[in-house]
Amino acid sequence: MNIRRVSLSALIAVVASLPLLHAQDMKGPAPAPVPAQIAAAQKVFISNAGGESFETVFDQVVFNGGPDRPYNEFYGTMKNWSRFDLVSSPADADLVFEISWALTDLKNTARLSGWDFPVLGQIRLVIVDPKTHIPLWTFTEYVRGAILLGNRDKNFDQAMNTIVNRLKILASAPKAASEPAQK
């Protein structure tokens, strides 16, 4: 009878610890460090990496603002944020922010889960080290389609705001958290 109690107690202990073991697995690996250049940067050059024109698709204006809209909006937002000094040459910059826009192939556009309209395109921000030309970080946000131009504009603004907010979080990370621990 004692052996059964011990076995039952051991089984209960193992079963009770399973959620804890599963919770540890669910956390995933520890976050990798953010490149030190991002947290330390003071001067930034913003590059209009361009993209496809979004003047018309199916004889309709896709978004207001013309093909330079992503660059103009991003530049204006960075200027208002005042976290970085915006410089006019990549040679004077600690980082280069390359902002671009790409239309989705409308023939083969895939619907993302839960969205009523297909994705029209994506806004992409690549953070580049101007000394090595190595991309340090990339953000991509998809822009949902909509029937009305005003709603497409709102969806574009929402994607741009998401890019900017993700950049703010990344650039505001404490320097200690962005550098690997010294041993």
Side-chain angles (χ1 to χ4, degrees):
M1 192 67 143
N2 283 341
I3 293 175
R4 284 188 183 164
R5 276 192 200 150
V6 171
S7 296
L8 185 58
S9 296
L11 180 62
I12 290 171
V14 169
V15 170
S17 67
L18 287 177
L20 294 174
L21 293 173
H22 183 67
Q24 288 175 347
D25 290 344
M26 295 297 288
K27 289 180 186 177
V34 173
Q37 299 96 313
I38 294 174
Q42 295 177 1
K43 298 178 187 176
V44 169
F45 175 79
I46 299 176
S47 168
N48 184 355
E52 302 162 35
S53 171
F54 49 78
E55 292 294 324
T56 60
V57 171
F58 301 124
D59 296 325
Q60 289 190 2
V61 173
V62 178
F63 301 106
N64 285 310
D68 292 331
R69 179 179 179 176
Y71 173 76
N72 292 333
E73 282 192 23
F74 183 74
Y75 190 94
T77 302
M78 290 296 99
K79 190 172 183 176
N80 289 337
W81 183 22
S82 302
R83 161 63 174 82
F84 300 105
D85 293 325
L86 303 183
V87 295
S88 59
S89 168
D92 298 331
D94 300 319
L95 294 175
V96 173
F97 291 165
E98 292 182 351
I99 189 79
S100 65
W101 160 259
L103 279 173
T104 301
D105 180 1
L106 295 176
K107 294 177 205 157
N108 298 315
T109 188
R111 294 180 185 270
L112 297 181
S113 63
W115 287 9
D116 296 333
F117 291 93
V119 172
L120 278 181
Q122 65 183 15
I123 301 170
R124 176 172 268 193
L125 174 65
V126 180
I127 302 174
V128 179
D129 180 338
K131 294 168 188 68
T132 63
H133 307 287
I134 300 291
L136 301 174
W137 211 271
T138 301
F139 298 108
T140 302
E141 280 300 316
Y142 295 95
V143 180
R144 291 176 39 188
I147 294 172
L148 300 175
L149 176 60
N151 289 337
R152 291 192 301 267
D153 282 336
K154 287 178 190 174
N155 293 345
F156 184 92
D157 290 341
Q158 182 179 16
M160 181 63 77
N161 288 337
T162 300
I163 289 271
V164 169
N165 288 335
R166 290 175 64 197
L167 173 61
K168 286 180 178 183
I169 291 167
L170 182 70
S172 298
K175 288 184 183 179
S178 65
E179 297 172 357
Q182 299 292 325
K183 292 185 181 184

